[in-house]
Amino acid sequence: MGAMPLISDISPVFVGRRDQLRLLADQAERARSGGSETLLVGGEAGVGKSRLVSEFVETRTRGAVFVGACLQLGEDGLSYAPFTAVLRQVLRDLGREVFETAAPGGIGEFARLLPELGEAPRDRRENRGILFEQLLRLFGGLGGEEGVTIVLEDLHWADGATRDLLVFLVRNLDRPGVQIIGTYRSDDLHRSHPLRRLLPALERLPGVGRIHLEPLTREEVAAQARAIRGDDLTPSQIDSLYRRSEGVPLYVEALASAETCPTEEDPDLPDHFRDLLLEPLHRFDETAWSVLHAVAAGAIGGGVEHETLYHAVGLPERELEAALRVLVDANVLRAGRTDYRFRHALLRDAVHGEILPGPHARLHLRFAQLIDEYPDTVPSERRAAEQAHHYQAAHDLPRALQAAWWAAVRAGEALAFDEELAMVERVLDLWDRVPDARERVQNRSRAQVVDRAAGAALDSGRPKRALELLDTALAELPEEPEDDETRMLRAVLLRERGQALSQGVRDGGLPDLVRALEMHPPHMPGYARLLAALAKESRLARADREETPDQRLLTRLLRAGLGPRALAERAIDVATREETADPRGEVDALIVLGGLLMEEGDIEGGRPLMERGTLRAVELTDPILEARGAGNLGHHLRELGRHEEGMEVLRSSLARHDRLGWASVHRAFNHQNVAEILFEMGRLGEARELSDHTVTAATERVRVHCVLTVQARAAAAQGDLEAARRATGSKGDRSMLNAHRMNVLQLHALAAVDTSLAEGDPEEALGLSRTLLDRTALERFPGYTWPLLEAMAEAARQGDDPKVAERVLSVAERTDVVGSIMPAYSASIAALVAETVGDDAGPLWKRAVEAWEPLPMPLYLARARLREAEVGAARDRDLAVCRVRQVYATAVECGASPLAASAEGLARRLGVGVSDEAPTPRTPAGLTARETEVLRLLAEGATNARIAEALFISPKTASVHVSNILAKLDVPNRATAGAHARRLGVA
């Protein structure tokens, strides 16, 4: 490995921090032998964070440490700066092979950060997940047997992309061997600083620690001063030095390195820290100061190349080298391989603040010009951003705007959306002050620039800001443009606003999408993509009993022959025409159309379309569409009862993406579909584990809600009521009923009903059921409606509410039945309703069991068998015993504790064990098993008739059991027997 970055302080002796140094070493060892770990090192400026890390780095094996630092460009951090520096070291020391190993599907995503690796992919803005996944694989592979340490300095300057990548790595580095150390200035974290909000969340993650470096003690200050000066200070000098420096090592250096260490009474001791830092520099001559000013102006990226500095200061080579020698020897500047930098960022800030306005503007203008004249002196990913900063500082607004635009383009290519947004907003801030602004941004109008800013805001997870920008752009365009170009632009803005709104849970974007369709010229680019987007959104839009504005729009589309299916077919037609060709729009529409056909039960017509769209996405190297195609196909196969086929589609897609380094793409969506299949197949532990993991990784709000519903249902089925309620939300919360997408509403309602029933609160489940039946037209969306109706029917049975039961049955009778699962749901619902209204449910449960038996959904079959056993026990006790033992075996195998307990309870009432091998239950006071069950009911105040009904015996037999119990317990009456039961622990 090459020379490490120079990050040590002036003191020749490392003072204090032994415990922290040991902590770093212990963590590195744990990370090497166990799981990867992260340590965040905070402290005020100058307290010695970098020195501590530097001392630790010196103890590590060369080639096992890579260091990068965040860079500040004015107010904005440079995107991915520390990771780019780390990757450049990896490339230099280990070569391209490690990148190729991490990204067998192609290293193009790495090229977004390291242009020297080749050309970055185009038109794949959503591929940040792939980039992050490949970085994860790279760092995981670097660990090896000895482990690797990644140092990220100055995280208080980190841009949004850097923070996002750090969070991703910390959450997902599950292989041993990687230690991440991050440093930050705690005194820079103001109330709204993003890192301040992020740190507590990071600290809660497994394997993450945080330490705060405190100032040095008086004794440590004395030791540092002695190391710097070579002699001891007097006690009064130490007291003064300690008080004035407050134990901050950088302050101690500035004071202790003076020719005479000031005493408490020294009137010339500077009180302001900037003056304190500058005080030792006043001995330098004018030439040295001119060099210092130039380095301060040019060092925004950390350092200044020697060649750049030579051209910036305009000094003869000998004079420049002499001045640099003085500054390096004085430890004001540090010399790197080819550059110079200040020994501390605070010192650079202090010197920069000393430059007068005229020289300040001239220096920054010169540095901006030198980037064009000598481009190789600045890494390509930083050129535009640094030029934008320099031109802004030089008040050259036209060129500042132009450089900011190209910096935004570069940031977009690197998928650094926060920086892209910041740079485009800088362009917009300068727009009105630059007459030829349009010519400087590739001939784009202001509305088009605002559109780009909105796209960056949306990509960076800031939909609110995106909507504000889109509103601004739309306000600048006429509502009814006359020319096609402007009509297309307005339609694109409306589509983007509609899609931004659709990312939320409550407010949908249907009105904007419909208006965009009316506005967009059919022969202009983007029309096919708009049709596909509208087809998808109209297919998912909720349906209410009372007509809503959205439903009126959908009705209008239907009357115009533009239902979801027609829109998708039209999109395919437009996308495949030569003059309006749009391969990605075609793929999108094929997936939507195939899904619509499969929802209707037409698997022969729908599946080939979805497979064709997915294969086309593979040919286009579009992993987003490819993953969406696989996810939707897996979902529809599950709904049609083809669970194993759906699982194979999903796992093949996930495995392919993992193999190619694209595993992050649509992972939450596809893992949700896998978890749903696992849940329905009774593999509760696997479903729970996968959904738990996916919830922590999902970023899209809608997707998080969907995964939480699977998590809640699996937890409820396992009997983990606390986890189920946590995933579902607080009891009585009906906010999700406002969701604009029907599937989101249905999934949340299903989880809420399941959780309430598991908690033994059918009234809460019935309240939600009544609201759903009143407000929503569930029959229009069969897929999730059938399991929801079954859950609502169970709530009606448990809550003894015939009215709700009859309303559920009415909806079921109006809901389409396709595939093999929906008939089974229908049979169970009919049986549950019959029980609730007092009809004979025995034959209906027999039919339901027969419907579930061929399906790969063991817990659903077990629930039907349990009801069949209880309802029919009085008529066919042997069948009931057989069924209850089948239910118990299934529940135990699946880990469904509540269902197993229900089976045990019914077995006790039947007077049998839950298996042939089960031991006879122990009974108290010489009672038989049957008498124990009777006593339990006596404690509840049951009459003989009620006892007979519960235990499937005659009232006369119940009376005989009661008489025997009174005699055995030697009690005079039923009430005393009930009290005795409670003392025995039976009740």
Side-chain angles (χ1 to χ4, degrees), residues 247-265:
V248 176
L250 188 66
Y251 301 6
V252 175
E253 289 176 8
L255 289 165
S257 58
E259 291 185 11
T260 58
C261 191
T263 63
E264 184 76 25
E265 294 77 21

Side-chain angles (χ1 to χ4, degrees), residues 23-41:
L23 188 151
L24 285 167
D26 291 346
Q27 187 194 53
E29 180 58 28
R30 287 197 308 274
R32 185 184 66 80
S33 56
S36 296
E37 294 198 23
T38 299
L39 186 67
L40 303 167
V41 182

Side-chain angles (χ1 to χ4, degrees), residues 19-25 27-28 30 36-42 52-53 56 150-152 155 166 170 178-184 199 207-212:
D19 290 343
Q20 292 87 347
L21 193 60
R22 190 179 307 110
L23 188 151
L24 285 167
Q27 187 194 53
R30 287 197 308 274
S36 296
E37 294 198 23
T38 299
L39 186 67
L40 303 167
V41 182
L52 169 66
V53 174
F56 169 68
I150 309 295
V151 178
L152 308 173
L155 289 175
L166 173 61
V170 170
V178 183
Q179 178 189 35
I180 297 176
I181 301 173
T183 70
Y184 64 93
L199 287 172
V208 179
R210 177 156 58 132
I211 59 173
H212 182 83

Side-chain angles (χ1 to χ4, degrees), residues 409-688:
V409 171
R410 166 60 192 155
E413 292 171 350
L415 310 179
F417 305 123
D418 285 291
E419 187 190 356
E420 180 185 16
L421 175 60
M423 288 298 174
V424 179
E425 291 195 317
R426 186 181 295 186
V427 170
L428 293 170
D429 288 340
L430 296 172
W431 190 274
D432 292 334
R433 291 181 281 170
V434 178
D436 60 343
R438 180 164 185 154
E439 287 71 26
R440 293 178 179 273
V441 294
Q442 299 176 284
N443 201 36
R444 283 169 169 76
S445 67
R446 191 177 191 280
Q448 289 173 310
V449 174
V450 176
D451 177 41
R452 175 146 194 158
L458 201 57
D459 289 331
S460 63
R462 298 171 61 184
K464 185 176 179 181
R465 180 58 181 148
L467 292 171
E468 292 171 349
L469 288 161
L470 287 165
D471 288 344
T472 299
L474 285 164
E476 295 179 1
L477 295 175
E479 289 195 12
E480 296 293 341
E482 296 183 0
D483 64 287
D484 283 351
E485 285 289 341
T486 309
R487 290 181 68 84
M488 182 186 72
L489 175 58
R490 185 169 182 83
V492 168
L493 292 169
L494 286 166
R495 173 176 62 80
E496 290 174 347
R497 190 169 70 178
Q499 290 177 310
L501 287 167
S502 298
Q503 285 192 10
V505 174
R506 294 190 180 184
D507 300 319
L510 195 61
D512 279 334
L513 292 173
V514 172
R515 182 68 182 123
L517 184 66
E518 296 168 345
M519 179 70 58
H520 202 298
H523 62 281
M524 299 291 284
Y527 189 61
R529 203 163 300 188
L530 170 59
L531 288 165
L534 183 54
K536 175 184 173 184
E537 204 57 38
S538 58
R539 165 193 169 202
L540 295 172
R542 65 179 290 155
D544 288 324
R545 298 286 175 209
E546 295 184 6
E547 191 176 48
T548 63
D550 278 8
Q551 284 177 252
R552 283 193 288 273
L553 285 173
L554 291 172
T555 301
R556 197 172 82 199
L557 286 173
L558 282 170
R559 287 173 180 166
L562 293 174
R565 181 168 176 174
L567 286 165
E569 289 172 341
R570 189 172 174 185
I572 294 169
D573 177 57
V574 171
T576 51
R577 292 179 193 167
E578 185 176 350
E579 64 274 15
T580 53
D582 185 348
R584 286 180 171 81
E586 177 194 2
V587 170
D588 204 0
L590 283 168
I591 293 169
V592 173
L593 180 58
L596 287 166
L597 292 174
M598 291 190 74
E599 284 175 1
E600 297 170 3
D602 183 4
I603 191 169
E604 289 75 17
R607 184 171 186 171
L609 289 175
M610 299 190 82
E611 290 174 337
R612 182 174 132 206
T614 305
L615 181 60
R616 188 83 176 94
V618 172
E619 294 169 354
L620 293 170
T621 320
D622 192 323
I624 299 294
L625 284 174
E626 178 191 343
R628 190 161 73 81
N632 279 301
L633 179 55
H635 163 83
H636 289 298
L637 287 169
R638 175 192 61 78
E639 283 194 339
L640 294 172
R642 302 192 178 196
H643 291 66
E644 293 290 353
E645 292 178 52
M647 182 73 80
E648 177 60 27
V649 168
L650 289 163
R651 288 197 160 157
S652 294
S653 175
L654 287 164
R656 168 179 149 78
H657 280 202
D658 185 57
R659 190 169 61 251
L660 296 174
W662 300 344
S664 292
V665 177
H666 252 35
R667 178 160 50 189
F669 174 63
N670 283 351
H671 276 178
Q672 176 210 334
N673 286 309
V674 171
E676 283 186 308
I677 293 175
L678 290 170
F679 172 77
E680 290 190 352
M681 293 179 72
R683 294 157 66 176
L684 299 181
E686 294 175 70
R688 177 81 180 277

Side-chain angles (χ1 to χ4, degrees), residues 10 257 281 283-284 321-335 340-341 343:
I10 190 173
S257 58
L281 309 186
R283 67 179 184 271
F284 297 138
E321 290 179 356
L324 286 169
R325 173 53 58 193
V326 169
L327 295 170
V328 170
D329 288 346
N331 204 34
V332 176
L333 297 181
R334 295 252 169 78
Y340 303 93
R341 63 188 64 215
R343 67 178 174 87

Side-chain angles (χ1 to χ4, degrees), residues 59-113:
T59 68
R60 301 283 286 148
T61 304
R62 293 295 174 180
V65 184
F66 299 94
V67 181
C70 300
L71 307 177
Q72 186 184 33
L73 290 179
E75 295 298 318
D76 309 307
L78 187 65
S79 59
Y80 297 118
F83 290 106
T84 299
V86 166
L87 294 179
R88 194 158 273 129
Q89 291 178 48
V90 171
L91 178 62
R92 184 180 66 232
D93 297 344
L94 304 178
R96 292 175 61 94
E97 291 77 12
V98 292
F99 293 91
E100 292 168 350
T101 300
I107 62 174
E109 297 300 327
F110 285 125
R112 296 185 190 277
L113 304 190

